[in-house]
Structure formats: structure tokens, C-alpha cells
Amino acid sequence: MNDTIAAISTPFGEGAIAVLRLSGPRAGEIAATVFHGKKPVAELAPRVQHFGTLAGGERKLDDVLLTVFRAPHSYTGEDVVEIACHGGVLVTRRILEALLRAGARSAEPGEFTQRAYLHHKMDLTQAEAVMDLISAQTDLALRAASEQLEGRLGERIRGLREAFVELLAHVEAYIDFPDENIDPATGEALLAKLDAARSGIDALLATADRGKVLREGVRTVIYGAPNVGKSSLLNLLLGHERAIVSARPGTTRDVIEETINLRGLPIRLIDTAGVRESEDEVEREGMKRTRRELERADLALHVFDASQPPLDETGGLIWEAFQAGGSALVVLNKIDLGEHPGWRAVEGVRISCLKGEGIEALAEAVVARVAGGTATHRDWSLAINARHADCLRRACELANAARSALTSGLSPEFVAEELRGALDAVGEVVGKADSEEILGKIFSTFCIGK
């Protein structure tokens, strides 16, 4: 925290501009050694861009715009200097080298946001939301990340912490002051407060699946027999020709993956090799990969040729293997050729990739499977991640143990121990019980310069 760190904060590559960032106690001093403008850096007005030149030694590197943010009114809570230069790879690198020579240290991944957390500019849920915001693939994911960055999840967690603090305070008061006639349970009131806290945890845990969908997307495998239109469906959903489409069976031999935005949900479409008996070694390997993808899938689109009679033998074994790990949606393609009578009793979405028919119905069916029929901002604005879920599950288990201890008449010391554990577990979500290991794991997912 005593070091001044520097990094390029814009993506690598050529562009109109690039931004470099300094943060730490010597940010202004280091910037002053390389920046030359109308005024010394120490006299520049904060949060205003100032034009000048930036030099490495006696050689001018670029014309730049420099902005000063003085502690604590900055992203990290420290003195921060941002330098906007021309976006060439070489000139940006040379400016960073000049800053490092002047005394800065190269920032670690996520170190700017980590410093913001350590200076209490944000809690851990907000810090994680920064990365969610950067990596959001849909408007729904973007808005959910924005609300978390504003502190909505943090507020809910702090409310839960306060509830556990009150519960623990009451029980410990009974333990520490036995002569004050403090009822350890206060009848049903204490149990009611504990149940309310448990309900709050359960409500947040119910959003874990939403969080997984928004952050990782829905692994959606398109599979079926050869020539039923799997690759055509992939191309149609993507809106461009991504997979080769041919009347020759076995064209797709490897897994093809692309992500689309479907009603605000990131859907990871995976086109797979057609399932059939084959002597071709490469095609058989493709089918083995299909089976692996099915086992990992969140949803499968089982595509059939509706113009042909149902062929149960095409996928019985694969269907059974998949049923253990997910859910499937039957897609009947080629309805433009006429539907075979054998399909009339089968529930599924009827489409024509050739004519583009039924795609809206398919989209609605996918959203219904994934989101229970809706995927609105109101319903999905709060979505916890895997780390939050792990903390809250532990808190829930400990809260349940505290309730059992209360109702079983165990010593209040046992109740207090369980409540203290639940309080710590809830606190981990926002960083009240942080450790270097937890922080390292969280911020290691960030890019350098963030």
C-alpha cells in the first residue's frame, strides 16, 4: 500500500487513445517527472484534463491529457493520475516504462480495485461487480452488475449482518450478565428474528442460478442425428454463417461454440457432431465429444427432421446419458417439408431453418426453460455469484444449528457459537471477515490495470 502502482488500463492493441493510470502516495510526484504542461502537476486542478507533453528522459514521447484525482476523492481512495495518450502499442508501452523508471511499480491484476476496497471505497460485492460489468455480454447482465456496483447486494448483506449481531448480542448478554434477568430466548421473539434472517439468506441463495446464467451463460448443446439441421439452426440463431451446412452426413466433426444474446440472457450455443453409426475414426471422435458436451450442458436442443418418421434408435443411449445431468427441449425442424404423422403427439418446438419459421417460439421456449418464463430486469437485478453462495450456505447451516440449539434447550454458549459462525460467514460476502487468501482469489480474476 506504500507503493505507487502504474498500469495501462485500456485493452492491448491499437486505438485512437490509450489510458494509463498511477495510484499511490507518489502518483503526483512521479507524474511530475515526466509530464510538462503550463503548470506543475502539484498545482493542477483536480478532475480536469490538462494538456501537455510526456517525455522519457530528454526525448518527447507523446502529447497527452493528464487528469489528477487527489485522495480520498479517487477510485482507489489514494492520489491517482490518469494519462490519456495516443493508442499505439509502442508509444503506450514507452510511457509505462517511463513511469516505472520514475519510481512506480507495475500493478498486479485487479490491484487498483483491491486498493479501492482496502480504502473502503467499496465492499467486496461491489469490487466483484466491476469485473461483472466489464465482462457482461447482455443488457440484463450489464444492468445486474450496475446495481450490484451501486451496492444493492451489499445493503441486503449488511441487513443480514445486523440481524445476526442483534441475535448474538442478546444471547451473549444473557451469558455475561446472568443476574440481569435477561431471558435467553425471549419467548418466540428470538426464534422469529432468527427465522427472518434464515429466510433472507434463502432468498439470496435462490438467485444463485441466475448469477451463474448471467456470468457464465447457459451451456446449450444442439444435438441430434446427421442432416437434421443442427448447423443450420446455429447459423440462424447467430445471424451469420458460422458452421458449414451440407447435405453430406458427418460435416460437423468438432464442437463449435458461440454466444448469443437471447432476451437478455447469454446463451452459449454448442453445435455438435451428428449421432449415427460410423466407421470414420474422426467422426467417431466428434460423437464422443458430443456425449461429453451433453453431460456438461445446462440445456440441450434435441433436433429432429420433422418430415421423416421418428427414429428412436438414433439417440436412445445419448438421451439416457443426458437425462441424468440436465434438461432437453425437442426441436422439430424442416416443417416446411410437411410434418410426418408420427410427430403429432410429440411436444416440441416446430421450426423451419430454411424459411426462418418458429424461431421466436424457440426463443420463448428456451427463456421459459432457463428463466421460468421471464427474464426481466426486475427479477434478475439481484444475482449472487458462486463465492457469495458458498458463504451464505455456510451461514444458513450455522443458523439452522443455532435454531436447533435454541429449541433443544442447549446451553446458550452453544447458541452463541453457532450465531457467531453465521455472522462471520455472512460478513465474508462483503469483506468483513476477509483474508489475504480470499482477496487474492477474487482479484486474480481481474485484468491488469483494473
Side-chain angles (χ1 to χ4, degrees):
M1 295 289 285
N2 293 324
D3 292 344
T4 296
I5 56 176
I8 302 168
S9 291
T10 41
F12 179 81
E14 294 183 355
I17 61 170
V19 176
L20 296 93
R21 181 187 277 171
L22 281 164
S23 181
R26 297 185 58 214
E29 176 190 337
I30 290 171
T33 64
V34 296
F35 177 78
H36 305 284
K38 291 184 178 180
K39 295 182 179 179
V41 171
E43 298 177 12
L44 296 178
R47 299 182 296 281
V48 176
Q49 288 190 316
H50 302 275
F51 177 78
T53 61
L54 199 141
E58 298 181 357
R59 182 166 61 94
K60 174 183 173 181
L61 295 176
D62 198 9
D63 293 320
V64 302
L65 292 172
L66 182 141
T67 310
V68 176
F69 302 87
R70 295 193 173 89
H73 307 294
S74 70
Y75 177 71
T76 63
E78 304 174 319
D79 286 345
V80 171
V81 174
E82 291 187 353
I83 299 168
C85 64
H86 290 97
V89 174
L90 186 59
V91 65
T92 308
R93 185 180 300 161
R94 291 290 180 264
I95 291 175
L96 177 60
E97 290 170 355
L99 296 175
L100 298 179
R101 284 196 302 272
R105 170 175 65 77
S106 185
E108 299 292 333
E111 191 169 0
F112 290 96
T113 303
Q114 184 173 358
R115 289 189 175 204
Y117 162 72
L118 293 172
H119 285 104
H120 309 293
K121 302 294 287 187
M122 58 178 68
D123 64 34
L124 275 188
T125 64
Q126 292 171 298
E128 289 166 311
V130 172
M131 199 61 207
D132 289 342
L133 197 72
I134 293 168
S135 59
Q137 300 178 65
T138 68
D139 287 340
L140 196 60
L142 181 64
R143 294 180 69 178
S146 296
E147 293 214 6
Q148 186 169 315
L149 186 58
E150 290 172 5
R152 184 177 175 188
L153 176 58
E155 288 177 8
R156 292 279 291 271
I157 296 298
R158 281 187 284 276
L160 285 173
R161 284 195 76 254
E162 289 172 10
F164 279 109
V165 167
E166 289 180 11
L167 288 163
L168 183 58
H170 185 94
V171 175
E172 290 192 335
Y174 173 80
I175 296 170
D176 294 337
F177 305 101
D179 298 329
E180 297 297 325
N181 297 319
I182 300 172
D183 186 346
T186 317
E188 295 296 317
L190 198 62
L191 282 175
K193 287 183 179 180
L194 181 54
D195 287 342
R198 290 165 64 236
S199 297
I201 293 174
D202 288 340
L204 288 175
L205 283 172
T207 71
D209 287 341
R210 300 175 190 173
K212 183 176 183 293
V213 167
L214 292 178
R215 294 176 179 91
E216 301 177 20
V218 182
R219 290 186 64 85
T220 305
V221 175
I222 304 172
Y223 81 112
N227 283 358
V228 295
K230 300 184 300 299
S231 295
S232 296
L233 178 58
L234 174 72
N235 292 339
L236 188 60
L237 290 170
L238 289 175
H240 62 86
E241 298 294 320
R242 172 64 176 85
I244 297 173
V245 175
S246 171
R248 177 183 173 184
T251 304
T252 302
R253 298 190 172 198
D254 203 351
V255 172
I256 299 174
E257 181 174 339
E258 292 285 347
T259 300
I260 63 168
N261 181 343
L262 194 64
R263 306 288 193 274
L265 301 176
I267 306 295
R268 294 168 60 188
L269 293 172
I270 301 167
D271 186 20
T272 58
V275 180
R276 66 171 181 166
E277 294 296 327
S278 176
E279 298 299 323
D280 188 300
E281 184 179 349
V282 177
E283 191 175 354
R284 287 204 308 272
E285 176 60 30
M287 287 185 278
K288 285 175 61 177
R289 296 186 181 189
T290 296
R291 290 178 174 85
R292 286 199 296 266
E293 290 298 334
L294 286 170
E295 291 170 357
R296 300 165 56 200
D298 300 311
L299 176 67
L301 303 182
H302 194 163
V303 185
F304 295 93
D305 183 346
S307 68
Q308 300 296 315
L311 300 176
D312 297 336
E313 67 271 19
T314 50
L317 183 60
I318 290 177
W319 181 273
E320 290 170 9
F322 175 70
Q323 290 289 53
S327 60
L329 183 64
V330 173
V331 180
L332 301 177
N333 187 27
K334 304 188 182 182
I335 59 171
D336 54 292
L337 300 178
E339 184 175 325
H340 188 277
W343 292 109
R344 289 176 184 170
V346 177
E347 291 187 10
V349 182
R350 286 152 172 83
I351 68 169
S352 169
C353 290
L354 182 63
K355 302 290 186 181
E357 298 174 5
I359 299 303
E360 285 299 313
L362 178 59
E364 293 295 337
V366 170
V367 171
R369 284 294 179 92
V370 174
T374 63
T376 65
H377 167 249
R378 181 187 62 191
D379 298 329
W380 286 61
S381 59
L382 193 66
I384 63 174
N385 65 25
R387 186 187 71 83
H388 306 153
D390 177 64
C391 295
L392 292 173
R393 287 191 190 99
R394 285 189 282 114
C396 191
E397 291 172 1
L398 290 161
N400 290 338
R403 194 184 197 284
S404 296
L406 273 171
T407 56
S408 300
L410 293 180
S411 169
E413 283 82 3
F414 290 103
V415 178
E417 185 66 22
E418 304 294 0
L419 289 175
R420 193 175 296 108
L423 175 62
D424 289 343
V426 169
E428 282 184 32
V429 177
V430 290
K432 294 297 182 182
D434 57 59
S435 69
E436 286 196 17
E437 182 180 1
I438 293 173
L439 296 182
K441 185 174 182 180
I442 291 170
F443 292 105
S444 65
T445 63
F446 280 62
C447 304
I448 292 175
K450 304 296 185 290

